[in-house]
Amino acid sequence: MSSLAERYNRARATIAARGFSADIQTKITLVVGATTSINAAILAPTELQPRVSAAYPFVHGQYFRELEFASLLARVTRWSANSAIYAEAMRLTAPLWGAWWRIQSPLGPVMDVKSAYTALALGHALLGRVRLTPVIPEHADDLDPFVTALRRIEQENGRMIQTQIRLLKDAATPLDVSERERIVEEQQSAVDSVFLKFLDWLGD
Amino acid sequence: MPFADIHGHSIRYELRGEAGLPLVTFANGLTQNADLWTAYGIKLADRGYQVLAYDMLGQGQSAKPVLGIELADHAGILAGLLDQVQADRTHLAGISFGGVVALDFAIRHGDRLASLAVMSSFAELTPQLECLGQVLYEGLTQLGLPYLQNLLYPMNMSSSWLAANRERIPEMKRSGYIGNDLFALQNLMESFIKFEPLTPRLAEIRCPALIMNGEYDFFTPRECHELMRRNLSNCRLLLMQRAYHAFTLEMPDITLRQLFEFVRSVDDGSWLGDGSVWIAADKPDAIPHAFPCVGDHMRALPVTAAGTPIQVVEAAEIQPGRKRRLT
């Protein structure tokens, strides 16, 4: 089994050889766009809640930032005409949408403490584990809008994840530590599994 | 490298050398991993030691708990790892954050230590170190992991090393970025929020201890190491010439020689932990490997025995090929 570093290196080598082609840009945007959209979908219900908590300004900012990134990627991408890429991206990201969907039932994060914690853990994993700047080749054009967008999204993710970190670690919850750890690990594994396959796909 | 399940955490480690030989264990610093001790492991194994290196909890390929790590967890993990490799006792060397872990381990599990080498480290957060830590923390959380890496390279390494490795540094940074997670490093840093100074408990450490400090280490400067020297009962302070914070990376041969001479002196019974201050020879094969420090080791300026700063004449007054100093 390849290590994470080997997978990154293969993906970077492929991009270095082919450049940020329409196929590669499309692959990246479909997967990263899915992660930003899922996190936005997780955060969206807080916009409708009547109560405004201390965390709300940060959640609100993150929600709109994720929408910005999803639309930014869509705008700067040179889209591929290869329909197989779209189908594969849907297949790859389906488990993440599935994870989001499971959080919605039966009561959803607004009504259920465990679902709320799981939603935060999924957001944390998406922001923390989906990291693409190591696939950018050494001599990539720093003024390329696609490259600029990737770098900007990743840097901003490092700031935005602070909200999930503080809430996961410090927010009052009736869940005991072992249950919280189990939830966090489960969501992280789900995201890691998708992301590793995604890196392999990029390296093909 | 194999993985061990220690207290529910997956820990990546490497054990090198023949079973039954004296064990030397290495604890890495922040943003580092076990791979950085590979050369040490190979050479110490050739010299009759078994060597254990591991990715500390929260780093490299070991588990990275999201909900936080207590500083004491690291000592427990190391004790568990020693159990895993069936080692009752070990020589333990740790750098920077790993040095703090090594000190904490020595306090909690002193009976398992043959000796302790603490490199570029600290037993408490001096005001300067606390402020620096705050800057590093803010850099990580507000500007990200690449910013922290960019900050640490010039803090840890000399200009000559940076110049010599200019081409390799982007790849090294990328490798470090892949191997570390922002949230995990943040957890390690946050473990210092509740950090109780170890200085009052250093007297509990009875095993031989070598404290190693780079001449130009401005990250954990001399005062941090002096606190350890004054409070450890069986120690010596060794100053590494022209070294910055990460001398284990920058001058591995010299560092290895010093560590080897230390553990050998402990094992053959010739170690003398008299609190004295020594200067490491600046060549790995020099004889002797270290010599006593005369003068005030707390000063950065060269000071004579009488305490008078050495006066250096103007450069223009020095004839080519001749150096002159007035005392």
Side-chain angles (χ1 to χ4, degrees):
Chain A
M1 188 195 299
S2 299
S3 70
L4 179 63
E6 288 166 344
R7 286 170 146 129
Y8 269 118
N9 289 341
R10 264 201 307 275
R12 187 173 61 258
T14 300
I15 295 171
R18 298 178 197 165
F20 276 106
S21 64
D23 283 359
I24 286 171
Q25 289 195 13
T26 302
K27 286 180 180 180
I28 292 173
T29 293
L30 289 174
V31 173
V32 176
T35 65
T36 57
S37 299
I38 290 166
N39 194 33
I42 290 169
L43 301 167
T46 57
E47 293 298 316
L48 303 173
Q49 287 182 53
R51 196 171 68 88
V52 173
S53 69
Y56 177 73
F58 302 97
V59 174
H60 175 78
Q62 189 178 132
Y63 171 61
F64 283 98
R65 190 69 85 197
E66 292 285 39
L67 294 181
E68 176 200 338
F69 288 153
S71 56
L72 171 67
L73 277 174
R75 182 73 180 84
V76 298
T77 298
R78 282 193 293 125
W79 291 99
S80 169
N82 181 355
S83 59
I85 288 177
Y86 297 84
E88 179 62 11
M90 282 177 64
R91 192 187 68 78
L92 266 181
T93 57
L96 298 178
W97 284 108
W100 170 78
W101 181 247
R102 281 191 294 280
I103 290 166
Q104 310 311 310
S105 59
L107 295 174
V110 175
M111 303 288 287
D112 178 55
V113 171
K114 190 173 167 185
S115 293
Y117 200 83
T118 307
L120 282 172
L122 178 56
H124 179 279
L126 292 169
L127 292 169
R129 301 293 280 188
V130 179
R131 302 188 300 160
L132 273 178
T133 52
V135 306
I136 299 174
E138 202 73 56
H139 302 295
D141 179 3
D142 283 337
L143 295 179
D144 181 313
F146 189 78
V147 172
T148 304
L150 282 186
R151 289 213 167 105
R152 180 164 140 59
I153 288 169
E154 196 143 313
Q155 186 181 37
E156 198 60 42
N157 283 355
R159 291 195 190 97
M160 294 196 303
I161 199 175
Q162 297 304 317
T163 303
Q164 276 80 358
I165 287 174
R166 290 274 67 87
L167 291 172
L168 286 170
K169 288 176 74 168
D170 302 333
T173 172
L175 302 172
D176 63 37
V177 174
S178 60
E179 174 69 351
R180 288 156 58 199
E181 284 177 344
R182 189 193 63 73
I183 291 170
V184 165
E185 282 175 17
E186 193 175 87
Q187 298 307 310
Q188 193 154 294
S189 295
V191 171
D192 283 350
S193 169
V194 170
F195 185 63
L196 292 178
K197 288 174 189 161
F198 171 50
L199 283 180
D200 290 342
W201 189 37
L202 274 182
D204 283 345
Chain B
M1 281 193 194
F3 288 79
D5 188 294
I6 312 290
H7 305 162
H9 299 294
S10 175
I11 301 295
R12 174 180 174 257
Y13 71 98
E14 182 166 55
L15 187 61
R16 198 182 288 272
E18 286 179 36
L21 294 173
L23 178 67
V24 179
T25 302
F26 287 102
N28 59 265
L30 213 59
T31 74
Q32 299 182 345
N33 59 56
D35 297 339
L36 299 174
W37 301 112
T38 299
Y40 288 77
I42 292 169
K43 290 177 180 172
L44 281 173
D46 286 345
R47 295 181 189 187
Y49 288 90
Q50 198 177 25
V51 180
L52 173 66
Y54 67 108
D55 291 354
M56 220 178 277
L57 184 64
Q59 300 200 66
Q61 293 179 47
S62 288
K64 294 168 180 168
V66 170
L67 299 183
I69 303 168
E70 301 288 336
L71 190 69
D73 293 344
H74 296 288
I77 292 286
L78 177 52
L81 186 57
L82 290 174
D83 292 340
Q84 170 81 21
V85 300
Q86 300 177 328
D88 292 332
R89 281 164 67 80
T90 184
H91 298 280
L92 175 60
I95 183 164
S96 197
F97 184 81
V100 181
V101 171
L103 283 171
D104 194 45
F105 182 88
I107 291 167
R108 294 172 189 275
H109 305 281
D111 57 325
R112 302 194 71 169
L113 283 189
S115 75
L116 173 68
V118 184
M119 301 174 279
S120 304
S121 196
F122 54 93
E124 66 180 61
L125 293 172
T126 60
Q128 193 182 37
L129 193 54
E130 188 177 354
C131 292
L132 275 172
Q134 187 68 29
V135 169
L136 295 178
Y137 179 78
E138 285 176 7
L140 178 67
T141 57
Q142 299 304 312
L143 296 167
L145 182 50
Y147 175 84
L148 184 72
Q149 291 179 297
N150 290 340
L151 195 60
L152 286 178
Y153 269 91
M155 285 181 78
N156 287 341
M157 317 304 275
S158 69
S159 287
S160 58
W161 187 93
L162 292 170
N165 291 277
R166 201 179 292 276
E167 298 297 319
R168 290 175 56 218
I169 288 174
E171 171 55 30
M172 293 163 79
K173 283 182 182 171
R174 183 163 50 236
S175 173
Y177 185 81
I178 291 169
N180 288 287
D181 285 86
L182 183 151
F183 66 85
L185 289 177
Q186 185 173 340
N187 271 333
L188 293 175
M189 288 187 177
E190 288 183 4
S191 68
F192 279 100
I193 291 171
K194 289 190 278 185
F195 176 61
E196 294 288 334
L198 299 176
T199 310
R201 298 192 63 187
L202 292 181
E204 297 172 31
I205 300 174
R206 300 292 181 190
C207 70
L210 183 67
I211 308 158
M212 299 169 73
N213 178 212
E215 181 181 359
Y216 301 138
D217 182 355
F218 58 88
F219 191 1
T220 51
R222 192 69 32 83
E223 65 175 349
C224 297
H225 299 80
E226 178 67 0
L227 274 170
M228 289 186 263
R229 187 187 74 84
R230 287 179 180 275
N231 289 280
L232 285 166
S233 60
N234 185 7
C235 77
R236 281 184 171 183
L237 172 61
L238 180 69
L239 307 179
M240 302 290 285
Q241 293 189 63
R242 289 179 275 277
Y244 285 75
H245 187 68
F247 57 77
T248 52
L249 296 175
E250 183 159 353
M251 38 184 72
D253 291 338
I254 294 172
T255 307
L256 176 69
R257 168 83 186 284
Q258 299 300 330
L259 288 172
F260 173 68
E261 296 292 349
F262 170 55
V263 295
R264 185 171 68 174
S265 71
V266 170
D267 288 342
D268 70 14
S270 63
W271 165 257
L272 182 61
D274 56 2
S276 55
V277 182
W278 294 70
I279 296 174
D282 60 0
K283 291 194 168 45
D285 54 356
I287 298 174
H289 67 282
F291 51 89
C293 174
V294 293
D296 186 349
H297 66 278
M298 294 300 292
R299 298 289 301 270
L301 288 172
V303 178
T304 65
T308 313
I310 295 169
Q311 296 174 9
V312 178
V313 297
E314 293 295 322
E317 297 177 37
I318 301 174
Q319 294 175 7
R322 288 186 62 196
K323 286 187 178 173
R324 187 160 59 95
R325 74 178 190 183
L326 304 175
T327 57

